[in-house]
Amino acid sequence: MRDVAIVGIGQTPVREHWDKGVRDLAVEAVLDAMADAHIERADALYVGNMLSGKLSGQEHLGALIADYAGLEGIEAVKVEAACGSAAATLRQAVLAVQSGAVNIAIAVGVEKLTEMTSGCTTNALAMASDGDYEAEMGLSFVAINALLMQRYMYEYGVDKDDFAAFTINAHANAAHNPNAMFRNRITREQYANAKMIASPINLLDSSPIADGAAAVVIMPADMAFDFSDKPLRVAACEVATDTIALDNRANPLWLRGVECSARKAYRKAGITPEQVRVFEVHDAFSIMAALSLEASGFAEPGTAVRLANEGEITREGRIPIATFGGLKGRGHPVGATGIYQVVEAALQLRGEAPEALQVDDVEYAMAQNIGGSGATVVTTILERLERK
Ligand SMILES: CC(=O)SCCNC(=O)CCNC(=O)[C@H](O)C(C)(C)COP(=O)(O)OP(=O)(O)OC[C@H]1O[C@@H](n2cnc3c(N)ncnc32)[C@H](O)[C@@H]1OP(=O)(O)O
């Protein structure tokens, strides 16, 4: 298998983009990444998306985006793994280039969640759970995560207000990210008084409904310096699954898919969690940030909330997370999120994060994208590519 590198990155701001559709957003991100990589052509385009058919009445995204990006004639397909669609798409691009099937591949994640019909997006998102036993019974993703958070508080004796540390960190970072949806800082008092959505999850525990697209250009490492002076080696991009329904898990507080995907990624990259300096975590809800930190090996079970309250998840801490605002602050256009995370990890490694967000001495940056309640997990580890 060939070594592969990321040579171009692109993103749109995450917003409620009422004036733009799926194609506009995806094409904007693709062209941004192609300009960054100084390319005019690619051999393949992989499009990550979860809900364009349901919410925008538009399927067949591979051909659509290739057409509007001026890439007709190439291989172009859509990849879907619920909220993990974007990183699953990256994985396909990486495999295609590693195998030698294509030389230049673009992976783009795009999602347009805003729509005019109240409740429709929530119902559509719920389809990523077990349709027969969870969604059918009225469980939205907020409700599923509320059950997990309630159980976590009960098992580990954690107070609801202690979760504030995740939101405060995410919004403080998002305040410096021009592409973030929320650029307002949050205080402990605001968190404590936020409106309840599904107890114990309040508005400030939740990622928002948002639109956006992000893209990366992948090519063999031995071509990379011809296109970029800061190429990044994809040290690992590993997928694992868990049961789709929570009630089939022996311990719902242990995300086996996260553990398995992270372990595979550490093994592939030849590193330990201690060597990861930046972790773009899938903080769709603050409880997911806590559980992901634990199952990825950054905290013992039941201790991630303490880790957050000790300041260890901030830029100055042991494991900075959500360094551009995360899903909570930057926003979570679901089928695009995994590539936003990789773009942000890339900016950290390239030393191009805004000054207030740049983490020092980043050797390895990790991004982890989750579909469903941890049912699909993709862990990507990047490092700087050394010139031979
Ligand atoms: C594996 C996975 O990733 S699963 C995750 C999939 N994603 C989800 O499930 C999305 C979860 N989030 C939601 O469903 C929604 O954002 C909710 C329910 C939390 C909030 O939605 P609503 O109550 O309809 O909020 P609404 O859109 O009316 O906004 C009301 C206000 O709150 C703000 N707001 C909305 N969502 C958020 C948020 N998550 N955080 C902070 N503020 C928010 C809005 O900007 C607006 O502010 P304004 O009054 O100053 O303009």
Short mmCIF file of all heavy atoms in Angstrom, two decimals, residues 45-50 75 77-98 105-111 214 216 218 234 236-241 261 282 332-342 367-372 375-381:
data_model
loop_
_atom_site.label_atom_id
_atom_site.label_comp_id
_atom_site.label_asym_id
_atom_site.label_seq_id
_atom_site.Cartn_x
_atom_site.Cartn_y
_atom_site.Cartn_z
N LEU A 45 -13.84 11.62 -6.93
CA LEU A 45 -14.49 12.51 -5.95
C LEU A 45 -15.41 11.65 -5.10
O LEU A 45 -16.30 10.97 -5.64
CB LEU A 45 -15.32 13.58 -6.68
CG LEU A 45 -16.18 14.47 -5.78
CD1 LEU A 45 -15.31 15.47 -5.03
CD2 LEU A 45 -17.21 15.22 -6.64
N TYR A 46 -15.21 11.68 -3.79
CA TYR A 46 -16.07 10.93 -2.87
C TYR A 46 -16.83 11.95 -2.03
O TYR A 46 -16.22 12.85 -1.45
CB TYR A 46 -15.24 9.99 -2.00
CG TYR A 46 -14.46 9.00 -2.84
CD1 TYR A 46 -13.12 9.25 -3.18
CD2 TYR A 46 -15.06 7.86 -3.35
CE1 TYR A 46 -12.41 8.37 -3.97
CE2 TYR A 46 -14.36 6.97 -4.16
CZ TYR A 46 -13.03 7.24 -4.47
OH TYR A 46 -12.33 6.37 -5.27
N VAL A 47 -18.15 11.80 -1.99
CA VAL A 47 -18.99 12.80 -1.33
C VAL A 47 -19.66 12.18 -0.10
O VAL A 47 -20.42 11.21 -0.23
CB VAL A 47 -20.08 13.32 -2.29
CG1 VAL A 47 -20.92 14.40 -1.61
CG2 VAL A 47 -19.47 13.85 -3.58
N GLY A 48 -19.39 12.73 1.06
CA GLY A 48 -20.03 12.27 2.29
C GLY A 48 -21.28 13.08 2.56
O GLY A 48 -21.25 14.31 2.48
N ASN A 49 -22.37 12.39 2.85
CA ASN A 49 -23.62 13.09 3.13
C ASN A 49 -24.58 12.11 3.78
O ASN A 49 -24.55 10.92 3.50
CB ASN A 49 -24.23 13.65 1.83
CG ASN A 49 -25.59 14.25 2.05
OD1 ASN A 49 -26.61 13.60 1.86
ND2 ASN A 49 -25.60 15.50 2.48
N MET A 50 -25.43 12.63 4.66
CA MET A 50 -26.41 11.75 5.29
C MET A 50 -27.84 11.98 4.77
O MET A 50 -28.55 11.03 4.51
CB MET A 50 -26.38 11.96 6.81
CG MET A 50 -27.39 11.10 7.55
SD MET A 50 -27.34 11.41 9.32
CE MET A 50 -28.82 10.53 9.82
N GLU A 75 -14.46 9.32 -11.67
CA GLU A 75 -15.22 8.48 -10.74
C GLU A 75 -15.78 9.40 -9.65
O GLU A 75 -15.04 10.20 -9.07
CB GLU A 75 -14.27 7.46 -10.11
CG GLU A 75 -14.87 6.66 -8.98
CD GLU A 75 -13.81 5.77 -8.31
OE1 GLU A 75 -12.78 5.45 -8.93
OE2 GLU A 75 -14.04 5.39 -7.14
N VAL A 77 -18.76 9.19 -6.38
CA VAL A 77 -19.85 8.47 -5.68
C VAL A 77 -20.06 9.07 -4.29
O VAL A 77 -19.18 9.73 -3.73
CB VAL A 77 -19.54 6.96 -5.52
CG1 VAL A 77 -19.61 6.24 -6.84
CG2 VAL A 77 -18.21 6.75 -4.84
N LYS A 78 -21.24 8.77 -3.75
CA LYS A 78 -21.57 9.21 -2.39
C LYS A 78 -21.28 8.08 -1.40
O LYS A 78 -21.47 6.91 -1.72
CB LYS A 78 -23.05 9.59 -2.34
CG LYS A 78 -23.53 10.05 -0.98
CD LYS A 78 -24.95 10.59 -1.06
CE LYS A 78 -25.88 9.72 -0.24
NZ LYS A 78 -27.23 10.29 -0.17
N VAL A 79 -20.87 8.47 -0.19
CA VAL A 79 -20.61 7.50 0.89
C VAL A 79 -21.47 7.92 2.08
O VAL A 79 -21.54 9.11 2.41
CB VAL A 79 -19.11 7.53 1.30
CG1 VAL A 79 -18.84 6.55 2.43
CG2 VAL A 79 -18.22 7.23 0.10
N GLU A 80 -22.12 6.95 2.72
CA GLU A 80 -23.01 7.30 3.84
C GLU A 80 -22.74 6.45 5.07
O GLU A 80 -22.65 5.22 4.97
CB GLU A 80 -24.47 7.13 3.40
CG GLU A 80 -25.50 7.67 4.37
CD GLU A 80 -25.87 6.66 5.45
OE1 GLU A 80 -25.95 5.46 5.15
OE2 GLU A 80 -26.07 7.08 6.60
N ALA A 81 -22.55 7.07 6.20
CA ALA A 81 -22.44 6.37 7.48
C ALA A 81 -22.99 7.31 8.57
O ALA A 81 -22.32 7.63 9.54
CB ALA A 81 -21.00 5.99 7.79
N ALA A 82 -24.23 7.78 8.34
CA ALA A 82 -24.91 8.70 9.27
C ALA A 82 -24.01 9.89 9.59
O ALA A 82 -23.39 10.46 8.68
CB ALA A 82 -25.38 7.95 10.51
N CYS A 83 -23.89 10.27 10.88
CA CYS A 83 -23.08 11.45 11.23
C CYS A 83 -21.59 11.17 11.03
O CYS A 83 -20.77 12.09 11.17
CB CYS A 83 -23.35 11.88 12.67
SG CYS A 83 -25.08 12.24 12.97
N GLY A 84 -21.23 9.92 10.74
CA GLY A 84 -19.84 9.57 10.46
C GLY A 84 -19.55 9.55 8.96
O GLY A 84 -18.49 9.09 8.55
N SER A 85 -20.48 10.04 8.15
CA SER A 85 -20.35 9.94 6.69
C SER A 85 -19.06 10.59 6.17
O SER A 85 -18.41 10.05 5.28
CB SER A 85 -21.54 10.61 6.00
OG SER A 85 -22.73 9.91 6.29
N ALA A 86 -18.71 11.75 6.70
CA ALA A 86 -17.57 12.48 6.11
C ALA A 86 -16.25 11.74 6.31
O ALA A 86 -15.48 11.58 5.37
CB ALA A 86 -17.49 13.89 6.69
N ALA A 87 -16.00 11.26 7.52
CA ALA A 87 -14.73 10.56 7.73
C ALA A 87 -14.74 9.21 7.04
O ALA A 87 -13.70 8.73 6.58
CB ALA A 87 -14.44 10.41 9.22
N ALA A 88 -15.93 8.58 6.92
CA ALA A 88 -16.01 7.33 6.16
C ALA A 88 -15.66 7.60 4.70
O ALA A 88 -15.06 6.76 4.02
CB ALA A 88 -17.41 6.73 6.28
N THR A 89 -16.01 8.78 4.22
CA THR A 89 -15.68 9.20 2.85
C THR A 89 -14.18 9.39 2.69
O THR A 89 -13.58 8.96 1.70
CB THR A 89 -16.42 10.52 2.53
OG1 THR A 89 -17.80 10.30 2.75
CG2 THR A 89 -16.18 10.98 1.12
N LEU A 90 -13.59 10.04 3.69
CA LEU A 90 -12.13 10.21 3.67
C LEU A 90 -11.45 8.85 3.60
O LEU A 90 -10.50 8.64 2.85
CB LEU A 90 -11.67 10.96 4.93
CG LEU A 90 -10.16 11.07 5.08
CD1 LEU A 90 -9.56 11.98 4.02
CD2 LEU A 90 -9.80 11.60 6.48
N ARG A 91 -11.95 7.92 4.39
CA ARG A 91 -11.38 6.55 4.40
C ARG A 91 -11.41 5.95 2.99
O ARG A 91 -10.46 5.33 2.55
CB ARG A 91 -12.19 5.70 5.39
CG ARG A 91 -12.08 4.22 5.20
CD ARG A 91 -11.04 3.60 6.09
NE ARG A 91 -11.10 2.14 5.99
CZ ARG A 91 -10.09 1.35 6.31
NH1 ARG A 91 -8.98 1.85 6.78
NH2 ARG A 91 -10.21 0.06 6.19
N GLN A 92 -12.53 6.15 2.26
CA GLN A 92 -12.62 5.61 0.90
C GLN A 92 -11.59 6.28 -0.01
O GLN A 92 -10.96 5.62 -0.83
CB GLN A 92 -14.03 5.82 0.32
CG GLN A 92 -15.10 5.03 1.04
CD GLN A 92 -14.75 3.56 1.19
OE1 GLN A 92 -14.39 2.89 0.22
NE2 GLN A 92 -14.80 3.05 2.40
N ALA A 93 -11.42 7.58 0.15
CA ALA A 93 -10.44 8.29 -0.68
C ALA A 93 -9.03 7.80 -0.36
O ALA A 93 -8.21 7.58 -1.26
CB ALA A 93 -10.55 9.80 -0.42
N VAL A 94 -8.75 7.62 0.92
CA VAL A 94 -7.42 7.15 1.34
C VAL A 94 -7.16 5.76 0.75
O VAL A 94 -6.10 5.49 0.18
CB VAL A 94 -7.31 7.14 2.89
CG1 VAL A 94 -6.09 6.36 3.35
CG2 VAL A 94 -7.26 8.58 3.41
N LEU A 95 -8.15 4.86 0.87
CA LEU A 95 -7.97 3.50 0.35
C LEU A 95 -7.75 3.51 -1.17
O LEU A 95 -6.92 2.76 -1.69
CB LEU A 95 -9.19 2.63 0.68
CG LEU A 95 -9.35 2.23 2.15
CD1 LEU A 95 -10.66 1.47 2.34
CD2 LEU A 95 -8.17 1.39 2.62
N ALA A 96 -8.50 4.38 -1.85
CA ALA A 96 -8.39 4.42 -3.31
C ALA A 96 -6.98 4.85 -3.73
O ALA A 96 -6.40 4.30 -4.66
CB ALA A 96 -9.44 5.38 -3.88
N VAL A 97 -6.43 5.83 -3.02
CA VAL A 97 -5.09 6.31 -3.38
C VAL A 97 -4.03 5.31 -2.89
O VAL A 97 -3.07 4.99 -3.61
CB VAL A 97 -4.82 7.72 -2.81
CG1 VAL A 97 -3.40 8.18 -3.11
CG2 VAL A 97 -5.83 8.71 -3.38
N GLN A 98 -4.22 4.79 -1.68
CA GLN A 98 -3.25 3.81 -1.16
C GLN A 98 -3.12 2.61 -2.10
O GLN A 98 -2.03 2.11 -2.34
CB GLN A 98 -3.73 3.28 0.20
CG GLN A 98 -3.31 4.13 1.38
CD GLN A 98 -3.83 3.58 2.70
OE1 GLN A 98 -4.77 2.78 2.74
NE2 GLN A 98 -3.20 3.99 3.78
N ALA A 105 -7.43 12.08 -5.30
CA ALA A 105 -8.83 11.92 -4.88
C ALA A 105 -9.23 13.10 -4.02
O ALA A 105 -8.43 13.63 -3.24
CB ALA A 105 -9.00 10.62 -4.10
N ILE A 106 -10.48 13.51 -4.18
CA ILE A 106 -11.03 14.57 -3.32
C ILE A 106 -12.12 13.93 -2.46
O ILE A 106 -12.96 13.18 -2.97
CB ILE A 106 -11.65 15.71 -4.16
CG1 ILE A 106 -10.56 16.32 -5.06
CG2 ILE A 106 -12.25 16.78 -3.25
CD1 ILE A 106 -11.11 17.31 -6.08
N ALA A 107 -12.07 14.20 -1.16
CA ALA A 107 -13.14 13.77 -0.26
C ALA A 107 -13.83 15.03 0.24
O ALA A 107 -13.19 15.92 0.78
CB ALA A 107 -12.58 12.97 0.91
N VAL A 108 -15.13 15.11 0.03
CA VAL A 108 -15.90 16.27 0.50
C VAL A 108 -17.07 15.78 1.34
O VAL A 108 -17.70 14.78 1.01
CB VAL A 108 -16.39 17.16 -0.68
CG1 VAL A 108 -17.26 16.39 -1.65
CG2 VAL A 108 -17.13 18.40 -0.17
N GLY A 109 -17.31 16.45 2.45
CA GLY A 109 -18.50 16.16 3.26
C GLY A 109 -19.42 17.36 3.17
O GLY A 109 -18.95 18.51 3.25
N VAL A 110 -20.70 17.13 2.98
CA VAL A 110 -21.64 18.25 2.86
C VAL A 110 -22.95 17.89 3.54
O VAL A 110 -23.39 16.75 3.49
CB VAL A 110 -21.88 18.62 1.37
CG1 VAL A 110 -22.48 17.46 0.58
CG2 VAL A 110 -22.77 19.85 1.26
N GLU A 111 -23.55 18.87 4.19
CA GLU A 111 -24.87 18.64 4.78
C GLU A 111 -25.64 19.94 4.85
O GLU A 111 -25.08 20.99 5.17
CB GLU A 111 -24.74 18.07 6.20
CG GLU A 111 -25.99 17.35 6.66
CD GLU A 111 -26.18 15.98 5.99
OE1 GLU A 111 -25.31 15.11 6.14
OE2 GLU A 111 -27.20 15.80 5.30
N ALA A 214 -16.95 20.65 3.84
CA ALA A 214 -15.48 20.71 3.98
C ALA A 214 -14.88 19.65 3.07
O ALA A 214 -15.51 18.61 2.81
CB ALA A 214 -15.08 20.48 5.43
N VAL A 216 -11.01 17.74 1.40
CA VAL A 216 -9.55 17.57 1.39
C VAL A 216 -9.14 16.91 0.07
O VAL A 216 -9.91 16.17 -0.53
CB VAL A 216 -9.05 16.69 2.57
CG1 VAL A 216 -9.24 17.38 3.89
CG2 VAL A 216 -9.70 15.33 2.59
N ILE A 218 -6.34 14.35 -1.56
CA ILE A 218 -5.42 13.27 -1.15
C ILE A 218 -4.60 12.84 -2.36
O ILE A 218 -5.16 12.73 -3.45
CB ILE A 218 -6.24 12.01 -0.73
CG1 ILE A 218 -7.33 12.34 0.25
CG2 ILE A 218 -5.35 10.90 -0.22
CD1 ILE A 218 -6.85 12.44 1.64
N VAL A 234 -1.22 10.86 6.14
CA VAL A 234 -2.34 10.20 6.82
C VAL A 234 -1.75 8.96 7.49
O VAL A 234 -1.54 7.92 6.87
CB VAL A 234 -3.47 9.82 5.84
CG1 VAL A 234 -4.63 9.17 6.60
CG2 VAL A 234 -3.95 11.06 5.09
N ALA A 236 -3.08 7.21 9.88
CA ALA A 236 -4.12 6.19 10.10
C ALA A 236 -5.47 6.80 9.78
O ALA A 236 -5.69 7.99 9.99
CB ALA A 236 -4.10 5.70 11.54
N CYS A 237 -6.36 5.95 9.29
CA CYS A 237 -7.77 6.35 9.08
C CYS A 237 -8.56 5.06 9.21
O CYS A 237 -8.70 4.31 8.25
CB CYS A 237 -7.95 7.02 7.72
SG CYS A 237 -9.64 7.61 7.45
N GLU A 238 -9.02 4.77 10.41
CA GLU A 238 -9.50 3.42 10.75
C GLU A 238 -10.95 3.45 11.23
O GLU A 238 -11.33 4.29 12.05
CB GLU A 238 -8.61 2.84 11.85
CG GLU A 238 -7.15 2.74 11.45
CD GLU A 238 -6.92 1.79 10.28
OE1 GLU A 238 -7.44 0.66 10.32
OE2 GLU A 238 -6.22 2.18 9.32
N VAL A 239 -11.71 2.48 10.78
CA VAL A 239 -13.15 2.42 11.09
C VAL A 239 -13.46 1.21 11.96
O VAL A 239 -12.85 0.15 11.80
CB VAL A 239 -13.98 2.26 9.79
CG1 VAL A 239 -15.47 2.43 10.08
CG2 VAL A 239 -13.54 3.25 8.74
N ALA A 240 -14.41 1.38 12.88
CA ALA A 240 -14.93 0.23 13.63
C ALA A 240 -16.41 0.49 13.94
O ALA A 240 -16.85 1.63 13.98
CB ALA A 240 -14.16 0.04 14.94
N THR A 241 -17.13 -0.60 14.15
CA THR A 241 -18.56 -0.46 14.45
C THR A 241 -18.88 -1.05 15.83
O THR A 241 -18.08 -1.79 16.41
CB THR A 241 -19.43 -1.17 13.40
OG1 THR A 241 -18.98 -2.51 13.28
CG2 THR A 241 -19.36 -0.49 12.07
N SER A 261 -11.84 1.54 17.12
CA SER A 261 -11.34 2.39 16.04
C SER A 261 -10.06 3.12 16.48
O SER A 261 -9.08 3.21 15.73
CB SER A 261 -12.45 3.38 15.66
OG SER A 261 -11.95 4.50 15.04
N HIS A 282 -15.73 14.07 18.78
CA HIS A 282 -17.11 14.16 18.26
C HIS A 282 -18.05 14.57 19.41
O HIS A 282 -18.80 13.77 19.96
CB HIS A 282 -17.52 12.81 17.67
CG HIS A 282 -18.78 12.87 16.85
ND1 HIS A 282 -18.79 12.97 15.48
CD2 HIS A 282 -20.08 12.88 17.22
CE1 HIS A 282 -20.04 13.02 15.03
NE2 HIS A 282 -20.85 12.96 16.08
N HIS A 332 -22.41 21.38 13.63
CA HIS A 332 -22.39 19.96 13.26
C HIS A 332 -23.31 19.69 12.06
O HIS A 332 -24.41 19.16 12.22
CB HIS A 332 -22.84 19.15 14.50
CG HIS A 332 -22.85 17.68 14.34
ND1 HIS A 332 -22.08 16.98 13.43
CD2 HIS A 332 -23.55 16.71 15.02
CE1 HIS A 332 -22.30 15.68 13.55
NE2 HIS A 332 -23.20 15.49 14.50
N PRO A 333 -22.86 20.12 10.85
CA PRO A 333 -23.58 19.71 9.65
C PRO A 333 -23.22 18.24 9.41
O PRO A 333 -22.17 17.93 8.84
CB PRO A 333 -23.01 20.63 8.57
CG PRO A 333 -21.74 21.19 9.12
CD PRO A 333 -21.63 20.88 10.56
N VAL A 334 -24.05 17.34 9.85
CA VAL A 334 -23.64 15.97 10.18
C VAL A 334 -22.74 15.28 9.16
O VAL A 334 -21.66 14.79 9.51
CB VAL A 334 -24.85 15.11 10.57
CG1 VAL A 334 -25.46 15.57 11.88
CG2 VAL A 334 -25.93 15.13 9.48
N GLY A 335 -23.19 15.21 7.89
CA GLY A 335 -22.40 14.49 6.89
C GLY A 335 -21.15 15.23 6.45
O GLY A 335 -20.39 14.74 5.62
N ALA A 336 -20.89 16.41 6.99
CA ALA A 336 -19.68 17.17 6.68
C ALA A 336 -18.69 17.18 7.84
O ALA A 336 -17.50 17.44 7.67
CB ALA A 336 -20.05 18.61 6.32
N THR A 337 -19.20 16.91 9.03
CA THR A 337 -18.41 17.13 10.25
C THR A 337 -17.05 16.44 10.25
O THR A 337 -16.04 17.04 10.62
CB THR A 337 -19.25 16.71 11.47
OG1 THR A 337 -20.26 17.71 11.66
CG2 THR A 337 -18.41 16.58 12.72
N GLY A 338 -17.00 15.18 9.84
CA GLY A 338 -15.74 14.42 9.91
C GLY A 338 -14.63 15.08 9.11
O GLY A 338 -13.45 14.99 9.48
N ILE A 339 -14.98 15.75 8.01
CA ILE A 339 -13.91 16.41 7.23
C ILE A 339 -13.59 17.78 7.82
O ILE A 339 -12.42 18.20 7.80
CB ILE A 339 -14.23 16.40 5.73
CG1 ILE A 339 -14.21 14.92 5.28
CG2 ILE A 339 -13.21 17.22 4.93
CD1 ILE A 339 -14.32 14.66 3.81
N TYR A 340 -14.55 18.48 8.40
CA TYR A 340 -14.20 19.69 9.17
C TYR A 340 -13.15 19.34 10.23
O TYR A 340 -12.18 20.07 10.44
CB TYR A 340 -15.42 20.28 9.87
CG TYR A 340 -16.23 21.23 9.01
CD1 TYR A 340 -17.41 20.81 8.42
CD2 TYR A 340 -15.81 22.54 8.78
CE1 TYR A 340 -18.15 21.68 7.62
CE2 TYR A 340 -16.54 23.40 7.98
CZ TYR A 340 -17.71 22.96 7.40
OH TYR A 340 -18.43 23.83 6.61
N GLN A 341 -13.37 18.23 10.93
CA GLN A 341 -12.44 17.86 12.00
C GLN A 341 -11.03 17.63 11.44
O GLN A 341 -10.03 18.04 12.04
CB GLN A 341 -12.92 16.58 12.68
CG GLN A 341 -14.23 16.74 13.45
CD GLN A 341 -14.71 15.39 13.98
OE1 GLN A 341 -14.87 14.43 13.23
NE2 GLN A 341 -14.93 15.32 15.28
N VAL A 342 -10.97 16.97 10.28
CA VAL A 342 -9.66 16.68 9.66
C VAL A 342 -9.01 17.97 9.15
O VAL A 342 -7.79 18.17 9.29
CB VAL A 342 -9.83 15.62 8.54
CG1 VAL A 342 -8.58 15.51 7.67
CG2 VAL A 342 -10.17 14.27 9.16
N ALA A 367 -8.46 13.05 14.76
CA ALA A 367 -9.86 13.47 14.56
C ALA A 367 -10.72 12.21 14.63
O ALA A 367 -10.35 11.18 14.06
CB ALA A 367 -10.02 14.13 13.20
N GLN A 368 -11.84 12.31 15.34
CA GLN A 368 -12.69 11.12 15.49
C GLN A 368 -14.14 11.49 15.20
O GLN A 368 -14.72 12.34 15.85
CB GLN A 368 -12.55 10.58 16.90
CG GLN A 368 -13.17 9.22 17.09
CD GLN A 368 -12.87 8.71 18.48
OE1 GLN A 368 -13.41 9.22 19.44
NE2 GLN A 368 -11.98 7.74 18.57
N ASN A 369 -14.70 10.80 14.23
CA ASN A 369 -16.05 11.10 13.73
C ASN A 369 -16.94 9.89 14.02
O ASN A 369 -16.57 8.76 13.78
CB ASN A 369 -15.91 11.33 12.21
CG ASN A 369 -17.15 11.83 11.53
OD1 ASN A 369 -17.29 11.68 10.31
ND2 ASN A 369 -18.07 12.45 12.24
N ILE A 370 -18.15 10.19 14.57
CA ILE A 370 -19.03 9.12 15.04
C ILE A 370 -20.37 9.17 14.30
O ILE A 370 -20.97 10.23 14.16
CB ILE A 370 -19.25 9.25 16.56
CG1 ILE A 370 -17.93 9.03 17.29
CG2 ILE A 370 -20.32 8.26 17.03
CD1 ILE A 370 -18.03 9.10 18.80
N GLY A 371 -20.84 8.00 13.89
CA GLY A 371 -22.17 7.88 13.31
C GLY A 371 -23.09 7.14 14.27
O GLY A 371 -22.68 6.12 14.85
N GLY A 372 -24.31 7.65 14.49
CA GLY A 372 -25.23 7.02 15.44
C GLY A 372 -24.71 7.18 16.86
O GLY A 372 -23.90 8.06 17.15
N ALA A 375 -22.15 3.84 16.78
CA ALA A 375 -22.27 2.61 15.99
C ALA A 375 -21.23 2.54 14.87
O ALA A 375 -20.78 1.46 14.51
CB ALA A 375 -23.68 2.50 15.41
N THR A 376 -20.87 3.69 14.29
CA THR A 376 -19.74 3.75 13.34
C THR A 376 -18.77 4.79 13.85
O THR A 376 -19.18 5.90 14.18
CB THR A 376 -20.21 4.19 11.93
OG1 THR A 376 -21.17 3.26 11.44
CG2 THR A 376 -19.04 4.26 10.97
N VAL A 377 -17.49 4.42 13.92
CA VAL A 377 -16.49 5.37 14.41
C VAL A 377 -15.28 5.34 13.47
O VAL A 377 -14.78 4.26 13.14
CB VAL A 377 -16.03 5.02 15.84
CG1 VAL A 377 -15.08 6.09 16.37
CG2 VAL A 377 -17.22 4.86 16.77
N VAL A 378 -14.86 6.52 13.05
CA VAL A 378 -13.68 6.64 12.18
C VAL A 378 -12.65 7.50 12.91
O VAL A 378 -12.94 8.64 13.28
CB VAL A 378 -14.02 7.31 10.84
CG1 VAL A 378 -12.83 7.23 9.89
CG2 VAL A 378 -15.26 6.69 10.21
N THR A 379 -11.47 6.95 13.14
CA THR A 379 -10.40 7.71 13.80
C THR A 379 -9.27 7.95 12.81
O THR A 379 -8.74 7.00 12.21
CB THR A 379 -9.86 6.94 15.03
OG1 THR A 379 -10.96 6.62 15.89
CG2 THR A 379 -8.85 7.78 15.79
N THR A 380 -8.93 9.22 12.64
CA THR A 380 -7.88 9.60 11.68
C THR A 380 -6.74 10.25 12.46
O THR A 380 -6.97 11.10 13.33
CB THR A 380 -8.45 10.62 10.66
OG1 THR A 380 -9.59 10.03 10.04
CG2 THR A 380 -7.43 10.97 9.61
N ILE A 381 -5.52 9.85 12.15
CA ILE A 381 -4.35 10.47 12.78
C ILE A 381 -3.46 11.05 11.67
O ILE A 381 -3.15 10.37 10.69
CB ILE A 381 -3.55 9.44 13.62
CG1 ILE A 381 -4.43 8.91 14.77
CG2 ILE A 381 -2.27 10.06 14.17
CD1 ILE A 381 -3.81 7.82 15.61
#
